[in-house]
Amino acid sequence: MKVLSIVGARPQFIKLAPFSRHVSKNHQEIVLHTGQHYDHIMSDGIFEELEIPKPNYNLEIGSGRHGKQTGRMLEEVEDVLINEEPDVVVIFGDTNSTLAGALAAVKLGIPSIHIEAGLRSFNREMPEEINRVVSDHTCDHLFVPTNSAMSNLEKEGLDHRAWKSGDIMVDTLQNSLEVALQKDTLEKAGVEKSCYYLVTLHRPYNVDDPDSLQQILNHLGKLSLEVLFPAHPRTKKIIKEHSLEVPEGINITSPFGYFDFLNLQYNAAKIITDSGGIQKEAYLLKKPCLTLRTETEWTETVKAGWNKLIDAIDPDFVETIEEFQPPAEQENIFGENVAMRMVQKIEELVS
Ligand code: UD1
């Protein structure tokens, strides 16, 4: 089989790593990188660390308005698909690269697989929500990470195309943790085990309005432990352009590589984030997670008591974070050996 995987942003490279490793054992894999993320640490650095073969194509699309960015991707992805004639196209997650890949494949009648299908926030202001809905309704086969994602697809009449695969990020984490914990990350970051909160924020509704980002920074500055805040380029740019005040006790750094960031999650007292992937990794690492959003796609982690939604305007913001304690027990939400089973399923579906 000739399998063509489409990626473009950091979380997709992390999902691609175990998939690539398994698929390339018995099949030809072509990797197409749209170039949506282009900073070394957000892109090439992750390919190197996770030993993902260099992409066969990098479209170097870069940043831009949503329509323009997605449109340029669509045009160029289509050219590659026509040129390569793959047997199957695989897309991951919910970014603009996912959307462009799904549309290009289906219009050419090439069988398509969406990995991480069925997630819904029911918040249509999130660009990712639109990407998820369109990709799920477009792709031929939906690989679904959780029970709640499966039930979303049932409600939309898509269950006949869906298969519960588990979450592929489980494999990436399990393959990487040992190496990650050998790194001198804490020393490099200037923090001590269990003595810091780890923060990441990049969602437009948290960071694009400078006043609301300033309010979040002010809250974070009141926490009892040091705050380590590796900032996405989008967040860094807003802080700089609007000369936001960073309270004492908050250390804003550049993003870390995947291994260093796993190490930082493993050793943090708690994690505060608006990222989907980090909510999952926190659960898998048994770390209390506070999610700065009004809703989440990863509802099981909240129901299990390991993740709590928190609003930036909540007057009890600081107390909620300080007092949050998950239960002692944890159930397996995300499955195991996911990449290997995905490849077997694709062999059954496309042959
Ligand atoms: C994208 C995804 C989001 C995912 C996130 C992970 C969409 C709609 N969003 O959001 O689902 O959670 O990636 O990181 O696809 N920038 C750089 N260097 C880079 C990449 C981006 O400086 O390597 C800057 C650009 O100035 C750009 C901004 O960050 O304007 C936002 O980048 P973009 O790719 O549009 O979306 P993300 O916010 O990263």
Side-chain angles (χ1 to χ4, degrees):
M1 246 186 336
K2 188 183 208 180
V3 181
L4 194 141
S5 305
I6 301 178
V7 289
R10 179 170 58 179
Q12 293 168 323
F13 313 143
I14 293 167
K15 289 164 197 153
L16 175 67
F19 181 77
S20 235
R21 189 179 291 182
H22 281 281
V23 87
S24 58
K25 282 181 191 160
N26 293 315
H27 304 284
Q28 182 189 1
E29 191 196 24
I30 306 285
V31 174
L32 188 168
H33 183 342
T34 62
Q36 177 172 349
H37 281 179
Y38 45 87
D39 281 359
H40 180 79
I41 195 80
M42 313 259 299
S43 178
D44 299 354
I46 297 185
F47 274 81
E48 286 159 21
E49 264 191 316
L50 295 179
E51 296 176 359
I52 311 168
K54 240 178 134 46
N56 303 74
Y57 296 86
N58 188 330
L59 306 179
E60 297 182 359
I61 303 287
S63 308
R65 293 192 313 267
H66 282 259
K68 196 168 177 182
Q69 186 185 48
T70 313
R72 288 188 56 208
M73 286 177 190
L74 179 57
E75 194 174 334
E76 296 197 32
V77 170
E78 184 180 62
D79 284 344
V80 175
L81 297 187
I82 290 171
N83 184 31
E84 289 288 347
E85 299 182 340
D87 297 303
V88 58
V89 168
V90 181
I91 58 163
F92 302 79
D94 58 12
T95 72
N96 290 341
S97 303
T98 315
L99 174 64
L103 290 174
V106 76
K107 294 270 183 173
L108 290 169
I110 304 171
S112 50
I113 312 267
H114 183 199
I115 290 183
E116 207 185 72
L119 297 180
R120 298 290 181 266
S121 65
F122 303 102
N123 173 358
R124 287 173 61 87
E125 283 176 24
M126 281 180 87
E128 293 84 359
E129 182 72 357
I130 311 300
N131 295 343
R132 292 179 195 125
V133 171
V134 178
S135 301
D136 285 344
H137 282 258
T138 303
C139 282
D140 299 303
H141 305 290
L142 308 175
F143 286 5
V144 185
T146 59
N147 290 335
S148 61
M150 190 55 106
S151 112
N152 292 334
L153 292 175
E154 279 163 16
K155 287 181 199 136
E156 291 175 34
L158 293 176
D159 44 320
H160 61 290
R161 292 196 231 146
W163 170 66
K164 189 175 162 210
S165 56
D167 197 299
I168 197 160
M169 281 177 65
V170 170
D171 290 18
T172 321
L173 190 144
Q174 284 177 352
N175 296 339
S176 310
L177 193 57
E178 207 181 311
V179 182
L181 295 183
Q182 281 162 12
K183 296 196 71 158
D184 61 349
T185 313
L186 298 191
E187 213 174 297
K188 228 169 27 189
V191 286
E192 278 177 45
K193 186 173 172 58
S194 308
C195 292
Y196 62 96
Y197 292 126
L198 182 64
V199 174
T200 79
L201 296 171
H202 75 282
R203 298 273 171 215
Y205 47 76
N206 278 326
V207 306
D208 280 6
D209 172 15
D211 292 338
S212 80
L213 183 54
Q214 183 66 66
Q215 186 181 17
I216 296 172
L217 289 171
N218 294 346
H219 279 318
L220 294 174
K222 293 190 191 124
L223 290 168
S224 61
L225 296 181
E226 188 180 346
V227 169
L228 180 64
F229 186 170
H232 185 286
R234 176 184 204 109
T235 313
K236 239 183 174 169
K237 209 190 304 180
I238 310 270
I239 293 176
K240 201 167 163 215
E241 272 173 13
H242 296 270
S243 311
L244 298 189
E245 194 196 322
V246 180
E248 215 178 300
I250 303 182
N251 181 12
I252 300 201
T253 69
S254 293
F256 285 85
Y258 179 72
F259 290 153
D260 278 328
F261 194 74
L262 264 192
N263 189 317
L264 288 172
Q265 290 188 84
Y266 183 87
N267 286 304
K270 290 177 186 171
I271 296 172
I272 303 163
T273 190
D274 61 9
S275 149
I278 293 171
Q279 292 173 57
K280 280 187 285 188
E281 286 171 344
Y283 187 85
L284 295 167
L285 294 168
K286 299 197 168 72
K287 279 292 145 183
C289 180
L290 292 120
T291 298
L292 246 170
R293 288 181 49 185
T294 49
E295 77 286 302
T296 179
E297 305 77 36
W298 304 103
T299 50
E300 281 94 341
T301 60
V302 175
K303 279 194 200 120
W306 281 82
N307 185 7
K308 189 172 175 66
L309 302 178
I310 176 167
D311 201 317
I313 55 168
D314 185 346
D316 299 327
F317 187 94
V318 171
E319 293 74 19
T320 307
I321 294 177
E322 302 280 359
E323 286 164 17
F324 179 54
Q325 269 316 328
E329 299 297 312
Q330 207 188 55
E331 61 176 294
N332 183 338
I333 295 173
F334 297 111
E336 260 164 299
N337 293 325
V338 178
M340 184 189 76
R341 290 186 300 104
M342 282 179 169
V343 173
Q344 285 169 352
K345 187 73 180 178
I346 296 176
E347 287 165 353
E348 272 169 50
L349 292 169
V350 184
S351 52

